[in-house]
Amino acid sequence: MNIFGYSRIIIIGNNGSGKSFLAKELSIITELPVVHLDLEFWLPNWGQPSKEEWVNKQANIVSKEKWIIEGNHTGTMELRFKAADLVILLDINRLVCLASVFMRNGKIRSDIPQYLKEKFDIGFFKMCTGLWSFSKTRKPIIMDLHKKYPDKQFFSINSRKKLRKLLNQWRDEKTNYINSVL
């Protein structure tokens, strides 16, 4: 897959699947700007914007010419699906995702506001419950949108090994392109 043919990419998948990591790496490779939805969404003390505010904010984001948007926010995902020219689903095993969520907990992350701190509390365990049920709750919504928008390129990655291999391939393609221009 030629990643350089796309200017509007969404990356979706379970919590801990590697969406933020992939977005950052793709941004380096493609030079497209990254939007982390959690960074845009969460207010102090884990507050949330109104539905109208959130929809308006995303409409503004997707109106731009180039971007990589990572994150689910399933209730408003259709806005991003409509605007994207490539959808990447990280369909990673939920045990791998769960381990990742536990390992990152409490660490400083660039994909959530710095004024928020993750900790082992009821919110964390609710998130883990959602992670565990992803394939029964949120993945069907994603697949329904895929069916509704068949013109959108849809690419599913189902392992970290395949993800690393693709990233290496895209890095090599970029290097080869740069070398051919010089």
Side-chain angles (χ1 to χ4, degrees), residues 1-4 24-32 166-182:
M1 175 172 70
N2 179 6
I3 198 69
F4 301 101
K24 291 173 196 173
E25 293 297 310
L26 273 183
S27 178
I28 292 167
I29 294 167
T30 63
E31 300 178 10
L32 295 172
L166 274 168
L167 283 170
N168 287 332
Q169 175 188 328
W170 292 330
R171 286 183 193 107
D172 290 345
E173 288 172 7
K174 180 178 182 176
T175 301
N176 291 338
Y177 174 74
I178 290 169
N179 289 337
S180 71
V181 173
L182 297 176

Side-chain angles (χ1 to χ4, degrees), residues 146-163:
H146 174 43
K147 289 176 191 164
K148 186 173 180 178
Y149 297 97
D151 59 316
K152 304 297 178 181
Q153 285 289 16
F154 188 90
F155 191 65
S156 182
I157 302 170
N158 63 6
S159 75
R160 295 271 172 87
K161 183 178 179 180
K162 288 180 183 175
L163 177 59

Side-chain angles (χ1 to χ4, degrees), residues 92-106:
I92 308 298
N93 179 289
R94 65 186 178 179
L95 287 172
V96 173
C97 294
L98 188 62
S100 294
V101 164
F102 270 91
M103 288 181 356
R104 76 180 187 202
N105 191 296

Side-chain angles (χ1 to χ4, degrees), residues 7-18:
S7 58
R8 294 173 157 198
I9 302 170
I10 63 172
I11 301 171
I12 51 182
N14 207 344
N15 297 324
S17 62

Side-chain angles (χ1 to χ4, degrees), residues 3-165:
I3 198 69
F4 301 101
Y6 302 100
S7 58
R8 294 173 157 198
I9 302 170
I10 63 172
I11 301 171
I12 51 182
N14 207 344
N15 297 324
S17 62
K19 296 180 300 292
S20 297
F21 169 78
L22 177 57
K24 291 173 196 173
E25 293 297 310
L26 273 183
S27 178
I28 292 167
I29 294 167
T30 63
E31 300 178 10
L32 295 172
V34 174
V35 176
H36 299 285
L37 287 181
D38 285 345
L39 196 57
E40 300 293 328
F41 180 79
W42 293 109
L43 303 172
N45 299 314
W46 297 98
Q48 300 178 14
S50 71
K51 173 87 170 183
E52 182 182 352
E53 290 170 319
W54 185 227
V55 167
N56 289 339
K57 190 171 207 177
Q58 287 182 79
N60 183 48
I61 291 168
V62 301
S63 71
K64 295 178 176 32
E65 279 187 48
K66 297 180 179 188
W67 40 256
I68 298 170
I69 300 174
E70 70 84 13
N72 290 324
H73 295 267
T74 318
T76 56
M77 189 179 289
E78 188 167 2
L79 286 169
R80 298 181 304 281
F81 244 87
K82 282 183 194 177
D85 48 30
L86 174 64
V87 177
I88 299 175
L89 169 63
L90 294 182
D91 195 14
I92 308 298
N93 179 289
R94 65 186 178 179
L95 287 172
V96 173
C97 294
L98 188 62
S100 294
V101 164
F102 270 91
M103 288 181 356
R104 76 180 187 202
N105 191 296
K107 294 185 178 169
I108 295 173
R109 297 171 42 199
S110 62
D111 59 330
I112 63 170
Q114 293 303 300
Y115 50 76
L116 297 176
K117 301 292 180 229
E118 288 183 312
K119 53 189 172 205
F120 292 109
D121 61 4
I122 191 72
F124 176 79
F125 288 104
K126 284 182 180 179
M127 189 225 354
C128 289
T129 301
L131 178 158
W132 198 254
S133 63
F134 178 84
S135 61
K136 291 180 182 166
T137 56
R138 292 184 284 163
K139 188 175 175 187
I141 294 167
I142 293 167
M143 299 316 290
D144 286 346
L145 287 169
H146 174 43
K147 289 176 191 164
K148 186 173 180 178
Y149 297 97
D151 59 316
K152 304 297 178 181
Q153 285 289 16
F154 188 90
F155 191 65
S156 182
I157 302 170
N158 63 6
S159 75
R160 295 271 172 87
K161 183 178 179 180
K162 288 180 183 175
L163 177 59
R164 284 189 299 275
K165 185 177 178 180

